[in-house]
C-alpha cells in the first residue's frame, strides 16, 4: 500500500510529539550532554551498573547514561553527574524502563 504510514513513520511522529510536549528533551541533543554522558561512561569504566549485570561494553552506542532519579525536566537533576550511571541498553530498555513505569503508577 503506497502512502500508508510505516512503523518507522509512526515512531518518528511519536518522538516529534514527545519533543513538543517535553521541551527538556532537547538537552539530550547538546554537546554539553554528549560530554557529560561520555564522562559518566568513562567514570563507570564502560560497565553496566545494574545490580546483577556488570556487562562491560566497548561500543558506546550500546550504553546509556541513565538518570538514577528521573529528572522530569528538573534541570539540576538532569545535569547532576552524581545522578547518572552507566547502563547497557538491554538493562536500560527493559529493566530500568519497567521500574520507572511501575513507579509512575503510584
Amino acid at each position: 500500500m503506497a502512502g500508508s504510514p510505516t512503523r518507522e513513520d509512526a515512531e518518528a511522529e511519536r518522538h516529534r510529539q514527545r519533543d513538543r510536549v517535553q521541551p527538556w528533551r532537547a538537552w539530550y541533543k547538546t554537546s554539553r550532554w554528549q560530554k557529560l554522558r561520555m564522562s559518566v561512561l568513562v567514570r563507570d569504566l564502560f560497565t553496566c551498573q545494574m545490580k546483577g549485570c556488570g556487562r562491560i561494553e566497548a561500543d558506546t552506542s550500546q550504553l546509556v547514561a541513565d538518570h538514577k532519579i528521573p529528572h522530569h525536566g528538573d534541570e539540576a537533576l538532569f545535569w547532576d553527574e552524581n545522578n547518572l550511571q552507566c547502563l547497557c541498553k538491554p538493562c536500560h530498555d527493559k529493566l530500568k524502563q519497567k521500574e520507572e513505569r511501575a513507579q509512575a503508577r503510584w
Side-chain angles (χ1 to χ4, degrees):
M1 273 190 208
S4 296
T6 66
R7 186 184 319 197
E8 291 81 17
D9 292 337
E11 182 71 8
E13 179 53 35
R14 188 175 71 81
H15 284 287
R16 282 190 294 274
Q17 175 62 25
R18 196 167 60 178
D19 288 349
R20 283 190 294 271
V21 174
Q22 300 168 329
W24 50 261
R25 292 187 53 78
W27 299 340
Y28 288 107
K29 297 176 178 90
T30 65
S31 62
R32 180 181 176 192
W33 169 254
Q34 293 304 318
K35 290 174 189 168
L36 179 59
R37 175 185 178 272
M38 187 54 70
S39 73
V40 169
L41 302 185
V42 168
R43 179 199 69 201
D44 291 349
L45 302 174
F46 305 96
T47 304
C48 181
Q49 302 300 301
M50 183 66 75
K51 185 176 180 178
C53 182
R55 175 180 173 180
I56 299 170
E57 178 60 67
D59 180 357
T60 59
S61 73
Q62 297 303 305
L63 296 172
V64 175
D66 172 68
H67 290 91
K68 298 175 194 176
I69 300 169
H71 60 83
H72 301 293
D74 179 321
E75 195 168 358
L77 269 180
F78 183 90
W79 296 109
D80 182 358
E81 186 171 357
N82 295 317
N83 187 37
L84 292 166
Q85 63 184 343
C86 176
L87 292 182
C88 66
K89 281 194 66 58
C91 284
H92 179 267
D93 294 352
K94 293 179 186 146
L95 302 174
K96 180 70 178 188
Q97 296 296 318
K98 184 178 177 180
E99 286 176 10
E100 288 179 1
R101 278 193 294 273
Q103 289 174 356
R105 286 187 214 130
W106 293 101

